[in-house]
Amino acid sequence: MNPLATIQKLSNVKKHPNADKLFTAQIEEFQVVTGADVEDGAIVVYFSIDSILPELDIFEFMRPRNFLVSMVKLRGEISNGLIIPIMELKDHLPDDWFDVDINDLIGLNVTEALGVKKFCKPVPAQMNGEIVGDFPTDILSKTDEDRLENYPNLMQDLIGNDVYVTSKLDGSSATFLKIRGAFRVCTRNVEVAENYDNTLWKLAKKYSLIESLPDGFAIQCECVGEKIQNNPLKLKGSELFVFNVIDLKTRKLLPFDDIVEFCKKLNNIPQVELLYRGIFKWNTIQEIKQFANETKYPCGSYGEGIVIRLCDPKYNFSIGKELSLKIISENYKD
């Protein structure tokens, strides 16, 4: 399971420059802001962005946020998640965990132990429809990018490799596939029946995907536009942008250059915006995060962030799939 909640050690704890009762601290290479009275070396439970906390008394202060952990700016300082001193959560964790040196717990995934869930943006109404079934995970994987901050060690798997970096679009993901002659359309979690009042089926018709998508292949796209999230690209109507092409016979992603050619042949279907292609050139998470912070959509507003993928996809055992990671911009306002 993606580690939404882990035990971590704080470093570089400082008084908040603009608030007497707040502190800033580092977890790995990113900053959090907390009202807890903490110091360097404090052991905490870190809840990453997009965590939905259980409705326990200790998290009651998060009820106005519907228990959702988000990237927030507190008195001018960015907080990339939430921390709670581990001893404040002792009653909610197994007793035998505290029979060892507490430092031995650092890095432990406590997502399931605490009942933390992952937030997924709701699918816009115009993409819903009659449900045929669940997403066909027996054929291919759902679309879901892990945050680089949650896997800082994976920087080593990027450095020196040929990568491509694309804009992260704030829309709704979709999968179009054809297998044994049958064309199928899926949202992030379900397959939907043919219905041309549905935005996804309209887009399939726009690009003649029903006829032109080769048998045994799937494309995964981000759909953006009017009535989809807040339409950050300021589009009229709706559009899709391809980010993955999957060979269903092997369940493998196509390399980047093959995706480009595939999309050209598929009626020039658009891809997500390419921001960089070449050898991974950043040395720290902060450097690549700064790149993400500076990215903008074509309309001029700050983008949601970036996604980094290897040009030649490789399976990564840490995340259980081909290596791809996202970084959310600290300047993005959804």
Side-chain angles (χ1 to χ4, degrees), residues 123-124 126-128 172-176 183 185-188 190-193 195-207 209-210 221-224 228 238-240:
V123 176
Q126 68 270 28
M127 292 185 181
N128 284 315
S172 190
S173 65
T175 298
F176 302 90
F183 180 78
V185 174
C186 303
T187 66
R188 182 183 298 275
V190 298
E191 182 178 347
V192 293
N195 178 353
Y196 291 95
D197 290 328
N198 178 288
T199 298
L200 299 184
W201 279 94
K202 286 180 182 177
L203 288 167
K205 183 177 181 180
K206 175 180 178 178
Y207 287 99
L209 294 178
I210 301 167
C221 319
E222 195 74 11
C223 297
V224 295
I228 302 175
S238 55
E239 187 55 271
L240 59 79

Side-chain angles (χ1 to χ4, degrees), residues 74-87:
L74 299 171
R75 300 295 294 273
E77 292 290 327
I78 290 290
S79 184
N80 292 280
L82 172 73
I83 60 171
I84 301 288
I86 191 170
M87 297 310 292

Side-chain angles (χ1 to χ4, degrees), residues 21 35 149 182 288:
K21 296 183 179 180
E149 294 95 329
I288 186 66

Side-chain angles (χ1 to χ4, degrees), residues 9 41 43 100-106:
K9 179 184 284 190
I43 307 299
V100 300
D101 184 334
I102 198 168
N103 287 282
D104 292 340
L105 300 177
I106 293 171

Side-chain angles (χ1 to χ4, degrees), residues 76-140:
E77 292 290 327
I78 290 290
S79 184
N80 292 280
L82 172 73
I83 60 171
I84 301 288
I86 191 170
M87 297 310 292
E88 294 184 20
L89 289 165
K90 185 175 181 181
D91 291 344
H92 303 287
L93 295 169
D95 291 338
D96 58 0
W97 287 10
F98 297 89
D99 294 337
V100 300
D101 184 334
I102 198 168
N103 287 282
D104 292 340
L105 300 177
I106 293 171
L108 187 64
N109 183 352
V110 296
T111 303
E112 291 189 10
L114 290 173
V116 179
K117 305 296 182 184
K118 181 176 175 59
F119 170 75
C120 292
K121 290 182 179 178
V123 176
Q126 68 270 28
M127 292 185 181
N128 284 315
E130 181 185 351
I131 296 174
V132 174
D134 293 334
F135 188 97
T137 52
D138 58 318
I139 300 173
L140 75 169

Side-chain angles (χ1 to χ4, degrees), residues 149-164:
E149 294 95 329
N150 291 345
Y151 295 94
N153 293 335
L154 293 187
M155 278 284 290
Q156 300 307 311
D157 295 309
L158 295 171
I159 293 173
N161 281 303
D162 195 18
V163 303
Y164 65 106

Side-chain angles (χ1 to χ4, degrees), residues 236-288:
K236 292 193 178 297
S238 55
E239 187 55 271
L240 59 79
F241 297 91
V242 175
F243 56 83
N244 277 341
V245 179
I246 303 100
D247 183 337
L248 298 177
K249 296 183 291 295
T250 62
R251 292 191 62 160
K252 290 185 177 180
L253 301 178
L254 266 58
F256 173 71
D257 291 335
D258 291 350
I259 293 175
V260 173
E261 288 303 311
F262 190 97
C263 290
K264 284 181 181 177
K265 293 177 181 178
L266 205 64
N267 302 313
N268 282 316
I269 191 169
Q271 294 178 249
V272 289
E273 182 184 7
L274 180 66
L275 303 174
Y276 174 79
R277 159 73 190 277
I279 299 300
F280 189 83
K281 60 182 181 178
W282 299 272
N283 296 309
T284 67
I285 289 179
Q286 286 305 319
E287 287 181 12
I288 186 66

